[in-house]
Amino acid sequence: MKIIDRLLEDKIHISFEVFPPKTDAGYEKVRSAIEQIAGLHPSYISVTYGAGGGTSKNTAKIASYIRDELGVESLAHLTCASSTKAEVQTVIENLKALGIENILALRGDIPEGMVFPSEDRYHYAYELVEAIRRSGDFCIGAACYPEGHVENEHKEDDIKFLKQKVDSGVDFLTTQMFFDNDIHYNFLYRIREAGITVPVLPGIMPITSAAQMKRSQELSGTVFPRRFLAMLDRFGDHPKAMEQAGIAYATDQIIDLLANGVKNIHIYSMNKPHIAAKIMENLSEVIQC
């Protein structure tokens, strides 16, 4: 099933992101986590491509397993900065052969030491979107950045490039993590004004440790609101308390989004099924409304 068909339904959809193992030795542990997350009955599960394409060989395998064996729709990430155009096309054809209908098209991080851009690689995500669209009848997702992409100095440019990407054939967008819902609401207003009308899924990251917060800030440059920093200051040195507080904070974000008419929520699970389960438990009655 194409994810866009599900997102356009007049009901609430919760989805999760998982990532492949960094080594083959970790495959069974990751598979166990994914099975538990699938048991929460999400609308779909997305599978990341790995930094620099490093874990990409398992993306299609896991996406196929989620759909065929666990009975949950899957979304395979595909990045292009770490691969040549020919390598990207091989991945697309493999996904097609496996019957994967949904792809999240990303430029991805530029591998350290690589000369980029080069002629044999796609320079921008919109070029990858065009290639996927030419290659088959896929549902294509893409990323967006409520606080602006770190490589764009002006938010106006960010919206312009996002519009170009969507117009290239994107069916839906998923946001980078954010921790202040007002940033998301303002972003939605700006992109709708720019004529971007596809569904936008807010990406929610449950921060359950101080180290995770630091890593998230390094990767995305996101702004943490005062009340989040107060929570971290109070509970950051107490792992169990910080985990509980982080789950509560993420739950509160989701409830606010749902109360304001957002229908589709994407949760970055970090392969932690017990955290995903706690959030779904907290939302058990809310998502029935």
Side-chain angles (χ1 to χ4, degrees), residues 173-191:
L173 296 166
T174 304
T175 77
Q176 187 180 60
M177 70 189 83
F178 59 88
F179 299 91
D180 181 345
N181 284 2
D182 285 342
I183 290 173
H184 180 68
Y185 299 137
N186 180 265
F187 174 70
L188 285 179
Y189 175 80
R190 289 187 289 112
I191 66 171

Side-chain angles (χ1 to χ4, degrees), residues 117-144:
S118 59
E119 287 301 317
D120 65 340
R121 297 173 192 269
Y122 295 114
H123 301 176
Y124 304 104
Y126 84 85
E127 296 173 314
L128 175 59
V129 171
E130 291 174 340
I132 297 170
R133 186 61 71 197
R134 289 193 301 266
S135 301
D137 186 23
F138 293 101
C139 170
I140 304 174
C144 59

Side-chain angles (χ1 to χ4, degrees), residues 41-280:
H41 308 293
S43 293
Y44 68 89
I45 297 175
S46 72
V47 186
T48 71
Y49 203 64
T55 60
S56 60
K57 66 180 182 179
N58 282 322
T59 298
K61 180 180 178 181
I62 291 174
S64 181
Y65 176 73
I66 289 169
R67 192 201 60 192
D68 297 339
E69 302 298 327
L70 303 181
V72 177
E73 194 53 69
S74 60
L75 171 68
H77 291 215
L78 175 58
T79 67
C80 59
S82 61
S83 305
T84 65
K85 294 176 182 179
E87 289 168 339
V88 167
Q89 193 60 40
T90 297
V91 174
I92 295 171
E93 294 304 322
N94 183 41
L95 292 172
K96 187 192 299 186
L98 290 170
I100 301 296
E101 295 184 280
N102 306 290
I103 299 177
L104 186 70
L106 306 161
R107 187 199 72 179
D109 297 328
I110 300 169
E112 189 174 349
M114 175 183 286
V115 177
F116 187 87
S118 59
E119 287 301 317
D120 65 340
R121 297 173 192 269
Y122 295 114
H123 301 176
Y124 304 104
Y126 84 85
E127 296 173 314
L128 175 59
V129 171
E130 291 174 340
I132 297 170
R133 186 61 71 197
R134 289 193 301 266
S135 301
D137 186 23
F138 293 101
C139 170
I140 304 174
C144 59
Y145 305 88
E147 296 175 75
H149 194 284
V150 293
E151 295 179 16
N152 291 330
E153 185 176 353
H154 304 292
K155 288 186 177 181
E156 293 79 5
D157 291 336
D158 204 58
I159 299 296
K160 180 180 69 176
F161 295 141
L162 181 60
K163 180 73 162 55
Q164 180 184 27
K165 183 162 62 175
V166 170
D167 289 346
S168 297
V170 169
D171 294 298
F172 68 94
L173 296 166
T174 304
T175 77
Q176 187 180 60
M177 70 189 83
F178 59 88
F179 299 91
D180 181 345
N181 284 2
D182 285 342
I183 290 173
H184 180 68
Y185 299 137
N186 180 265
F187 174 70
L188 285 179
Y189 175 80
R190 289 187 289 112
I191 66 171
R192 298 311 188 209
E193 285 286 295
I196 298 171
T197 60
V198 298
V200 178
L201 283 74
I204 302 299
M205 169 74 84
I207 297 289
T208 56
S209 72
Q212 188 186 5
M213 173 202 164
K214 182 179 179 181
R215 177 67 173 156
S216 298
Q217 195 162 39
E218 288 173 351
L219 288 173
S220 65
T222 190
V223 174
F224 291 97
R226 182 189 57 78
R227 68 190 187 99
F228 181 92
L229 294 174
M231 179 185 77
L232 184 72
D233 184 59
R234 176 66 179 83
F235 305 116
D237 293 330
H238 306 276
K240 289 185 178 180
M242 184 61 206
E243 179 175 283
Q244 188 176 57
I247 290 169
Y249 192 96
T251 300
D252 182 61
Q253 272 194 277
I254 294 169
I255 290 174
D256 179 78
L257 290 162
L258 295 175
N260 281 280
V262 175
K263 294 288 187 182
N264 305 301
I265 308 288
H266 192 60
I267 300 172
Y268 299 112
S269 77
M270 301 302 293
N271 289 16
K272 296 178 179 178
H274 71 288
I275 292 176
K278 281 289 187 182
I279 291 174
M280 292 301 283

Side-chain angles (χ1 to χ4, degrees), residues 18-57:
V18 299
F19 54 83
K22 294 181 179 179
T23 65
D24 290 341
Y27 185 82
E28 288 304 317
K29 181 178 179 180
V30 169
R31 189 172 74 167
S32 175
I34 291 170
E35 287 173 351
Q36 293 176 67
I37 291 171
L40 300 173
H41 308 293
S43 293
Y44 68 89
I45 297 175
S46 72
V47 186
T48 71
Y49 203 64
T55 60
S56 60
K57 66 180 182 179

